[in-house]
């Protein structure tokens, strides 16, 4: 009888409809597969380089202060929102109120969640630009390594996506996974459509400081008419190479941010105080030297540029076709030239998923399948691309180099 009752209860208490189909997760799957220490993990986007020493030192200092181990202001630790307002006032060229125009959350994920829960209603339409969606058009290149700049928005196709039900567009620049940095002209096209259709812009700019030579990150919120309709998302993990801190923020006008604050106060309420205090002090250090090339906002991208160039060279030498990013720390690669026959493996899986599993098993090198970033309609179209992460210490890249140099000598 007891067994029957348990079975009945287990059957009755199923998941809610709102999480239906969300149980499969590429990060969980491939992080687990790549957990073997013999695998060179260039998949998950976490740095294995050291964060700046002063960032770690500030955390140790904060943890030693008793009051900083207790709850702080729910919408953002006072010293942190003040520091953020000063940095972004300088970047945006406008006044930003630390108490009403900023919300600190658990990572950029938390910012995105709060924004969508607060501002997107059931039945609203949201435009999401997929990595290689049909409103992207690859331009012809000269046979050298392709660049993320070779992928541009088709203005007419994008305009066709807007209608009376369009509540928001989600923009990501610099873009993950392709590394594209949207130009001012491209951003203006998006801005004009947002204004014309009275549409919000949710701008994910977590890689804002990771922009390489010849490129410039422009915040869409700084374009005329866009501050009042844009929520800009940032990340401590991407800014200071401390992804484990899981601190992010949303910045925008009070009339939008106040709704995000309502979601936050009724879900997470607050974020860890010592982490926020340490981040605030780190921001103050770099705010004071924003005119200095040694400011970490600029020095990290210089360090990563050489890693990017090294990774592109190694991939080309192995017979792969990298798309060299203009920003961020990911590089997508066309693996179709290798002609690895995986037709005898689960035919329901996209090719890139099968390729990454094969590469982990036979080459001991991990990546992330690109089709994980696409909707069901476009997976097939771009399943021969995979994504590598290059924010890695030299020893990790050295290990990857050995694998890639021996690629064609090994048998699959």
């Amino acid at each position: 009888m007891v067994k029957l009752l348990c079975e009945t209860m287990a059957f009755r208490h199923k998941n809610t409809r709102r999480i239906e189909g969300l149980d499969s997760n590429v990060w969980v799957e491939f992080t687990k597969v790549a957990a073997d220490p013999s695998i060179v993990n260039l998949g998950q986007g976490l740095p294995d380089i050291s964060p700046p020493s002063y960032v770690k030192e500030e955390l140790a200092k904060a943890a030693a202060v008793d009051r900083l181990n207790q709850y702080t202001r729910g919408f953002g630790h006072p010293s942190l929102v003040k520091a953020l307002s000063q940095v972004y006032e300088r970047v945006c060229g406008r006044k930003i109120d630390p108490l009403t125009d900023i919300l600190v959350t658990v990572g950029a994920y938390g910012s995105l969640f709060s924004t969508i829960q607060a501002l997107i209603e059931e039945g609203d339409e949201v435009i999401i630009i997929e990595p290689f969606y049909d409103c992207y058009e690859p331009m012809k290149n000269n046979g050298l390594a392709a660049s993320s700049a070779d992928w541009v928005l088709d203005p007419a196709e994008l305009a066709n996506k807007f209608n009376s039900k369009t509540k928001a567009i989600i923009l990501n620049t610099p873009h993950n996974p392709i590394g594209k940095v949207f130009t001012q002209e491209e951003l203006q096209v998006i801005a004009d459509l947002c204004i014309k259709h009275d549409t919000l812009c949710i701008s994910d700019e977590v890689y804002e400081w990771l922009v390489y030579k010849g490129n410039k990150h422009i915040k869409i919120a700084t374009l005329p008419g866009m501050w009042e309709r844009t929520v800009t998302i940032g990340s401590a993990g991407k800014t200071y190479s401390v992804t484990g801190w899981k601190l992010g923020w949303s910045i925008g006008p009070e009339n939008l941010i106040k709704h995000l604050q309502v979601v936050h106060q009724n879900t997470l309420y607050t974020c860890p105080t010592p982490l926020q205090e340490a981040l605030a002090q780190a921001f103050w250090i770099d705010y004071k030297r924003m005119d200095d090339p040694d400011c970490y906002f600029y020095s990290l991208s210089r360090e990563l540029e050489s890693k990017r160039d090294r990774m592109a060279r190694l991939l080309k030498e192995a017979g792969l076709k990298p798309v060299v990013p203009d920003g961020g720390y990911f590089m997508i690669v066309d693996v179709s030239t290798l002609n690895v026959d995986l037709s005898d493996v689960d035919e329901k899986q996209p090719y890139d998923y099968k390729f990454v599993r094969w590469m982990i098993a036979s080459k001991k090198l991990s990546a992330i399948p690109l089709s994980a970033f696409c909707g069901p309609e476009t997976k097939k179209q771009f399943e021969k691309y995979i994504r590598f992460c290059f924010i890695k210490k030299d020893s990790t890249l050295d290990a990857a180099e050995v694998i890639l140099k021996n690629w064609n000598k090994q048998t699959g």
Side-chain angles (χ1 to χ4, degrees):
M1 178 66 112
V2 173
K3 181 180 177 184
L4 178 61
L5 180 61
C6 288
E7 287 176 350
T8 303
M9 289 178 67
F11 178 76
R12 187 165 69 90
H13 296 295
K14 298 191 298 183
N15 60 273
T16 58
R17 285 195 303 275
R18 62 180 169 268
I19 65 165
E20 196 70 47
L22 299 180
D23 51 330
S24 178
N25 184 285
V26 67
W27 313 113
V28 173
E29 179 181 354
F30 284 97
T31 300
K32 189 192 302 180
V33 173
D36 181 341
S38 70
I39 306 294
V40 178
N41 189 355
L42 300 185
Q44 192 178 10
L46 75 164
D48 67 1
I49 62 173
S50 294
S53 57
Y54 59 89
V55 175
K56 295 182 286 185
E57 289 162 6
E58 291 299 340
L59 179 57
K61 284 189 216 171
V65 178
D66 286 346
R67 65 178 175 80
L68 293 176
N69 288 288
Q70 308 305 327
Y71 292 135
T72 187
R73 175 177 175 269
F75 301 144
H77 187 51
S79 63
L80 177 55
V81 292
K82 180 64 176 174
L84 287 168
S85 71
Q86 293 297 295
V87 170
Y88 287 105
E89 278 183 5
R90 176 163 177 169
V91 171
C92 297
R94 67 173 303 123
K95 180 72 177 170
I96 295 175
D97 189 306
L99 300 181
T100 63
D101 298 347
I102 299 174
L103 170 66
V104 176
T105 58
V106 177
Y109 259 67
S111 294
L112 198 55
F113 177 81
S114 296
T115 303
I116 291 173
Q117 290 295 312
L119 301 173
I120 308 302
E121 192 62 84
E122 185 175 354
D124 288 341
E125 292 185 5
V126 176
I127 296 172
I128 301 173
I129 303 171
E130 289 185 304
F132 301 106
Y133 195 49
D134 57 2
C135 64
Y136 272 82
E137 182 177 46
M139 295 169 62
K140 301 297 181 187
N141 64 66
N142 58 9
L144 301 175
S147 163
S148 59
D150 293 335
W151 300 87
V152 295
L153 279 169
D154 178 342
E157 181 68 19
L158 181 63
N160 286 337
K161 302 295 181 187
F162 282 79
N163 59 59
S164 59
K165 290 184 178 179
T166 306
K167 184 66 175 287
I169 181 170
I170 297 178
L171 173 67
N172 179 207
T173 182
H175 189 277
N176 173 20
I178 69 172
K180 177 181 176 61
V181 177
F182 282 75
T183 65
Q184 176 141 0
E185 292 74 21
E186 290 173 314
L187 294 175
Q188 191 63 60
V189 168
I190 296 170
D192 290 344
L193 288 166
C194 286
I195 293 168
K196 177 181 177 181
H197 294 274
D198 192 19
T199 298
L200 298 172
C201 181
I202 302 168
S203 192
D204 178 352
E205 302 180 16
V206 297
Y207 301 100
E208 61 189 309
W209 302 110
L210 301 178
V211 176
Y212 304 119
K213 255 182 249 170
N215 299 278
K216 182 181 179 183
H217 173 64
I218 298 167
K219 291 184 170 296
I220 196 168
T222 63
L223 299 186
M226 287 303 291
W227 166 259
E228 54 265 38
R229 62 179 65 256
T230 302
V231 174
T232 303
I233 294 170
S235 163
K238 306 304 189 296
T239 300
Y240 282 111
S241 305
V242 286
T243 57
W245 286 26
K246 287 299 290 180
L247 285 177
W249 50 87
S250 302
I251 298 178
E254 178 182 4
N255 65 297
L256 294 181
I257 297 298
K258 69 181 181 182
H259 302 308
L260 279 62
Q261 292 175 337
V262 171
V263 174
H264 183 76
Q265 75 185 14
N266 287 288
T267 50
L268 301 169
Y269 181 66
T270 193
C271 298
T273 309
L275 291 173
Q276 292 191 74
E277 175 65 20
L279 182 59
Q281 297 310 316
F283 265 118
W284 284 123
I285 289 170
D286 282 305
Y287 171 73
K288 291 170 184 173
R289 55 179 183 173
M290 282 181 76
D291 291 322
D292 185 337
D294 289 334
C295 174
Y296 193 71
F297 299 159
Y298 319 129
S299 64
L300 179 59
S301 63
R302 289 199 304 274
E303 178 185 349
L304 290 182
E305 190 157 351
S306 61
K307 295 179 184 289
R308 176 200 69 170
D309 295 345
R310 180 186 183 189
M311 175 68 73
R313 175 177 53 80
L314 292 172
L315 291 166
K316 280 191 288 181
E317 289 172 355
L320 296 128
K321 294 169 66 177
V323 176
V324 180
D326 290 330
Y329 47 60
F330 299 109
M331 186 177 297
I332 64 169
V333 184
D334 179 355
V335 299
S336 61
T337 53
L338 298 176
N339 296 313
V340 177
D341 184 4
L342 299 172
S343 57
D344 58 339
V345 185
D346 184 4
E347 61 182 28
K348 293 180 182 177
Q349 284 285 319
Y351 182 85
D352 54 346
Y353 273 73
K354 295 189 286 188
F355 183 90
V356 170
R357 288 197 192 92
W358 168 83
M359 186 171 68
I360 291 171
S362 65
K363 306 296 185 182
K364 301 294 184 184
L365 182 64
S366 174
I368 292 292
L370 190 72
S371 66
F373 297 86
C374 303
E377 301 84 5
T378 53
K379 280 185 185 293
K380 193 76 180 168
Q381 201 173 351
F382 302 102
E383 64 179 351
K384 291 192 176 178
Y385 291 87
I386 62 175
R387 189 198 77 173
F388 286 110
C389 174
F390 57 85
I391 186 168
K392 303 293 181 181
K393 55 192 176 187
D394 288 342
S395 59
T396 304
L397 296 179
D398 290 343
E401 179 171 4
V402 171
I403 293 170
L404 290 167
K405 284 192 169 178
N406 291 316
W407 186 284
N408 295 317
K409 297 176 187 174
Q410 300 174 21
T411 57

